[in-house]
Amino acid sequence: MTPLAISPPSSTPEPDMSSIPQDAATIPHSATPQVLTVCIYINKQANTGPNLDRKKIQQLPDHFGPDRPSVVLQQAVQGCIDSAFQQKTVFTLLTQGYGGEKISATFDGKQHLLSLPVVNSIDYVLRFLKKLCRSLHCENLFSDQPITQHSGGSYHSDGTFK
């Protein structure tokens, strides 16, 4: 005997939501049809500057995401911390945010935690990473466009940080 709970999902039709206004201010967050996702690519041929270890950068994935902007920002910042010659150098460039994803660094014999700010836009992720990379002297490390590696040449793209 088969229980009724295993009946095919087609027995319950989807409600028609075409007449509902699509203004985010009137729709509860859980009802929004699409979740904003971000993908940040790593230029492994970029100049990593004096603070990041090129060998550790090479071990990072080719990209972070696609995922929510706050998660991708956390992954990219944590990647910088984990790739630093001294984690304290990167960690001290960051300021405490509220409600965002957490990052960690180990220095001075302790593990240190910090919350990043809440992120809801791709532009904010890009601006945050651009500022961090300038401080670390490793511009062009991240891009919002897939990176094509060129042997022996320098990388140029409209999607990179300059």
Side-chain angles (χ1 to χ4, degrees), residues 52-110:
L52 301 181
D53 184 342
R54 177 173 295 284
K55 290 178 186 173
K56 291 179 181 177
I57 293 291
Q58 297 300 319
Q59 295 172 359
L60 293 174
D62 291 336
H63 59 84
F64 296 115
D67 210 330
R68 292 177 296 129
S70 59
V71 171
V72 172
L73 179 63
Q74 184 270 340
Q75 291 171 339
V77 172
Q78 190 67 56
C80 287
I81 290 171
D82 294 344
S83 299
F85 289 113
Q86 294 190 14
Q87 291 188 355
K88 183 176 185 176
T89 303
V90 180
F91 194 82
T92 56
L93 293 173
L94 304 168
T95 56
Q96 177 71 35
Y98 298 97
E101 303 292 325
K102 299 211 183 309
I103 53 152
S104 66
T106 304
F107 55 90
D108 297 340
K110 296 184 213 169

Side-chain angles (χ1 to χ4, degrees), residues 1-7:
M1 204 176 229
T2 306
L4 292 176
I6 303 179
S7 62

Side-chain angles (χ1 to χ4, degrees), residues 43-46 54 58 147-156:
N43 180 5
K44 295 185 179 183
Q45 302 303 313
R54 177 173 295 284
Q58 297 300 319
I147 295 175
T148 55
Q149 306 299 341
H150 299 286
S151 58
S154 60
Y155 173 73
H156 298 284

Side-chain angles (χ1 to χ4, degrees), residues 22 24 27-37 68:
Q22 294 300 310
I27 299 173
H29 186 274
S30 61
T32 53
Q34 293 180 349
V35 176
L36 177 66
T37 61
R68 292 177 296 129

